[in-house]
Amino acid sequence: MAGAFALLVALSLLAVSTYITEARRHVGADYISMVTDVVRAQEDAVRLRLTLANLRDSSDALHVEQLEQLLWVIELRIRSITQSLRRSELPRAAYRPLMEELVHLESRLPSLERALAAYVAGRDPRRLEEVGREVEEGLAWSYSELNELLHLASATQRRMMERLTLAVTALGLVAVLMVGGLMLTLLRIYQQRETLAQQSRTDPLTGLDNRRHLYDVAAEEFARYRRSGEAPSLILIDLDHFKRINDAHGHPTGDAVLVALAEALSDEVRAMDRVARLGGEEFALFLPACDEPGACRLAERVRCRIAGLVLPGRAAGERLTASLGVATAGPGMDGFEALYALADRRLYRAKANGRDRVECSAGGASRVMSTP
């Protein structure tokens, strides 16, 4: 992925830099202006031919004046076009012969002026015809070739710009697709990370908090308890003889029973309470800001709910019971481990005293809650 992205960036930079270079060249070579000048120069060649023809028919002073003015225009036009060629981006080898011909023709203009003066004086009229035809033919050929060269260069440049535009557009689309793919990949990575984080916090069978997450939540609650003085309570729950359900009906049925139990426990607690599966058939209810009498009442309600639970599947008709140990944080209790240890001792006392019962303490004395 990183290699493809780097390749895309390199290709994009290459295309953009080429595009900018060609765009500057296209702007720098003002082909439209140059073609316009060349077309006008071609008209000068035609005018020269017509003016020379008029002089052959009549040596009228008007025709002489027209030729003198035309020679001045031709000289300026040659200089303007040669300067434009030097500033252009055209390959020098392509226009060098034309440039040399124009320079040569410019050097012949004084000869044409002298031939015109001799013609006006009545001397050597053929000289004006010879030099004039040489200049006219040279201008016609040079400007015709130059016009074709400029049109060809303009067409080539236009095709280049069109191809570069398509390339840049295609690269832009690829970049959009790459960015979209990258964003999708990042989204999937984020979702996978969230899924892994969720899996690290929850029990895969029941969807309840696991032991690790319970410890993290309890540590935060104990920090709040030290600031506010509102003690949390813990109820540990262990199902009585749950192995018999697994042995009699199979582990899939046992898993279905645990899922049903998880739903029942979640129904009995407050939104702020945490329900966790510690492993196997062991569960815990962590109750922030809950005193011991309230925790004991909830534990008894939970015990009755478990005892009356209608079991799913092949376990229907079986009776499920649980032993519960309740503990509430108090003075001198330095953390959740101490609270857990106290609740665990009371859980085992409930098991030792016959199961299907709640062991908790109220008013400093041990308290047992059970229903026959």
Side-chain angles (χ1 to χ4, degrees):
M1 187 68 179
F5 186 74
L7 179 60
L8 174 64
V9 171
L11 290 175
S12 299
L13 291 176
L14 177 61
V16 170
S17 62
T18 305
Y19 183 86
I20 293 174
T21 300
E22 293 297 328
R24 287 178 176 173
R25 179 180 299 175
H26 183 70
V27 173
D30 191 353
Y31 294 120
I32 296 178
S33 176
M34 291 179 67
V35 168
T36 302
D37 290 342
V38 171
V39 170
R40 290 174 180 170
Q42 287 177 312
E43 294 175 358
D44 292 341
V46 175
R47 289 171 61 193
L48 177 61
R49 183 172 65 253
L50 294 176
T51 304
L52 290 173
N54 291 333
L55 283 173
R56 281 198 303 270
D57 298 335
S58 171
S59 59
D60 188 273
L62 176 62
H63 297 153
V64 174
E65 182 180 352
Q66 288 177 342
L67 182 56
E68 290 175 344
Q69 184 178 7
L70 181 58
L71 293 179
W72 176 74
V73 171
I74 290 173
E75 182 179 6
L76 292 180
R77 197 92 71 186
I78 289 174
R79 292 179 181 179
S80 175
I81 290 175
T82 54
Q83 289 177 359
S84 296
L85 285 173
R86 292 189 183 97
R87 291 196 302 265
S88 73
E89 297 291 338
L90 291 170
R92 189 171 297 274
Y95 66 78
R96 181 181 292 113
L98 303 178
M99 176 81 76
E100 292 174 352
E101 178 64 17
L102 289 174
V103 172
H104 170 70
L105 293 174
E106 183 182 6
S107 68
R108 295 294 291 160
L109 292 179
S111 297
L112 185 56
E113 291 175 350
R114 289 192 295 271
L116 176 60
Y119 173 79
V120 172
R123 301 190 309 272
D124 196 7
R126 296 179 58 186
R127 180 63 178 167
L128 176 63
E129 183 71 21
E130 292 174 357
V131 179
R133 185 182 301 111
E134 176 189 353
V135 173
E136 182 270 325
E137 291 176 354
L139 290 175
W141 175 82
S142 300
Y143 291 142
S144 176
E145 291 294 319
L146 185 56
N147 190 20
E148 183 179 352
L149 176 63
L150 291 174
H151 277 91
L152 179 61
S154 179
T156 301
Q157 189 70 20
R158 184 169 57 253
R159 287 194 299 270
M160 175 66 73
M161 293 300 295
E162 290 173 353
R163 292 170 184 171
L164 284 173
T165 300
L166 289 176
V168 171
T169 302
L171 283 172
L173 292 176
V174 173
V176 170
L177 293 176
M178 288 287 290
V179 171
L182 180 62
M183 295 300 294
L184 182 60
T185 300
L186 292 176
L187 177 60
R188 289 177 177 174
I189 291 174
Y190 173 78
Q191 291 174 340
Q192 291 174 356
R193 186 178 65 180
E194 288 297 308
T195 300
L196 291 174
Q198 182 68 16
Q199 291 174 350
S200 70
R201 296 192 299 263
T202 59
D203 172 60
L205 175 63
T206 62
L208 300 177
D209 292 346
N210 59 18
R211 180 187 294 269
R212 175 181 176 181
H213 190 49
L214 176 66
Y215 270 74
D216 292 339
V217 171
E220 295 177 1
E221 183 59 29
F222 257 82
R224 194 188 67 81
Y225 160 57
R226 293 187 184 97
R227 296 191 303 270
S228 66
E230 295 180 323
S233 295
L234 177 67
I235 303 175
L236 295 183
I237 305 168
D238 188 89
L239 299 181
D240 298 329
H241 306 299
F242 183 73
K243 185 176 182 299
R244 290 186 303 191
I245 294 179
N246 279 333
D247 292 343
H249 306 294
H251 286 280
T253 300
D255 290 346
V257 171
L258 294 177
V259 172
L261 174 62
E263 294 174 355
L265 294 177
S266 299
D267 288 342
E268 293 294 333
V269 299
R270 303 168 299 177
M272 64 188 298
D273 299 333
R274 310 296 300 193
V275 183
R277 183 187 179 200
L278 303 180
E281 63 271 20
E282 298 181 8
F283 294 80
L285 306 179
F286 184 73
L287 317 172
C290 181
D291 58 17
E292 189 170 346
C296 290
R297 288 192 297 271
L298 174 61
E300 179 59 19
R301 191 166 70 247
V302 167
R303 188 193 66 79
C304 293
R305 177 73 180 269
I306 294 173
L309 191 63
V310 177
L311 302 186
R314 296 168 59 183
E318 296 276 359
R319 183 171 182 269
L320 186 66
T321 63
S323 301
L324 296 86
V326 182
T328 301
M333 191 170 288
D334 56 358
F336 179 69
E337 291 79 3
L339 180 65
Y340 185 93
L342 178 58
D344 191 56
R345 288 196 299 270
R346 292 175 180 174
L347 169 64
Y348 277 93
R349 193 167 67 195
K351 284 185 170 295
N353 289 335
R355 294 185 170 83
D356 191 17
R357 60 195 291 124
V358 175
E359 287 284 346
C360 57
S361 175
S366 176
R367 184 180 179 190
V368 179
M369 305 181 67
S370 63
T371 300

